[in-house]
Amino acid sequence: MDMALYTGLVSFVIVMSVTPGPNNLMLMSSSALFGVRATLPTWLGVNLGFNIMLVAAVFGLGTLVARFPWAITLVKFGGAVWLLWMAWLFARAGLATAGPDGKVAAPVRSRPIRSYEAALFQWVNPKALLMTLSSAGAYVALADTAPERAVLMVATFILFGAPCGLLWVFAGGALKRFMADGRSARILNLAIAGILLVTVAMIVLA
């Protein structure tokens, strides 16, 4: 195995996994609203769905996308619509009026995103699609066969990428204390809605 090439893959995985994106924003917001423990199934679903898509990319998903380029547009706008819906839920919770006790209403979404929902979201997540197609295409020389490349890449994303997502989960857990106050919860909900809207704009304009 070319160690220089593998080092490049590790760097790619860390940079792409730790920077803001739909998955990390989803994990942070879920942890801020529901806690770290309740968000761990969401984190597991993100990693499961992502690595399934990575294996698909190694075995030829990129070729399929090249043959049907409109699929990228479909994924892009599908992900944008999903994020808009999330932004609406957070904005609605943030704009909720206070009750007689001075506390705001609970967030509209009464549960964290389930594992299978997070896994399915990877297929309409533009950043995840870009990461899988880019790594599958740029690091073909890592191994002679597709199964070997798939195992090596999945192991690399699990070892170096999954912990990056956990950082966002713990960051959201720290924010949960900030949300204990009703007014602070409203501000955080509106802030998350704004971040999601910015993400949507970046996806659509990319």
Side-chain angles (χ1 to χ4, degrees):
M1 181 175 64
D2 186 335
M3 289 306 299
L5 187 61
Y6 182 70
T7 301
L9 173 62
V10 171
S11 300
F12 172 82
V13 170
I14 293 174
V15 170
M16 293 297 287
S17 298
V18 80
T19 50
N23 282 335
N24 288 335
L25 291 172
M26 176 174 65
L27 291 172
M28 183 186 71
S29 58
S30 174
S31 185
L33 291 171
F34 307 109
V36 171
R37 182 177 297 180
T39 302
L40 289 178
T42 307
W43 172 76
L44 289 172
V46 165
N47 286 281
L48 176 63
F50 178 87
N51 283 294
I52 289 175
M53 189 163 63
L54 177 60
V55 171
V58 171
F59 280 92
L61 179 62
T63 302
L64 185 64
V65 170
R67 185 175 179 182
F68 303 103
W70 53 265
I72 292 291
T73 302
L74 182 63
V75 168
K76 177 189 293 188
F77 285 97
V81 169
W82 194 88
L83 290 174
L84 280 173
W85 172 245
M86 283 187 64
W88 161 245
L89 291 180
F90 282 112
R92 186 177 173 187
L95 294 172
T97 56
D101 57 356
K103 295 183 178 180
V104 298
V108 176
R109 190 178 183 91
S110 60
R111 61 170 177 81
I113 297 171
R114 295 191 174 104
S115 294
Y116 75 89
E117 292 174 326
L120 290 174
F121 172 61
Q122 302 315 298
W123 294 88
V124 293
N125 180 348
K127 184 179 180 182
L129 183 62
L130 174 64
M131 289 172 64
T132 55
L133 293 178
S134 297
S135 56
Y139 300 99
V140 174
L142 279 176
D144 295 330
T145 66
E148 290 175 335
R149 286 196 302 276
V151 170
L152 183 59
M153 288 184 179
V154 167
T156 302
F157 271 95
I158 290 175
L159 288 174
F160 297 99
C164 294
L166 272 181
L167 292 177
W168 288 80
V169 173
F170 290 129
L175 286 175
K176 187 172 176 61
R177 300 176 186 175
F178 179 70
M179 293 189 66
D181 174 72
R183 182 178 179 184
S184 298
R186 294 182 67 184
I187 293 173
L188 183 56
N189 273 296
L190 290 173
I192 292 172
I195 292 172
L196 289 173
L197 288 175
V198 171
T199 304
V200 169
M202 292 172 62
I203 290 172
V204 173
L205 296 175

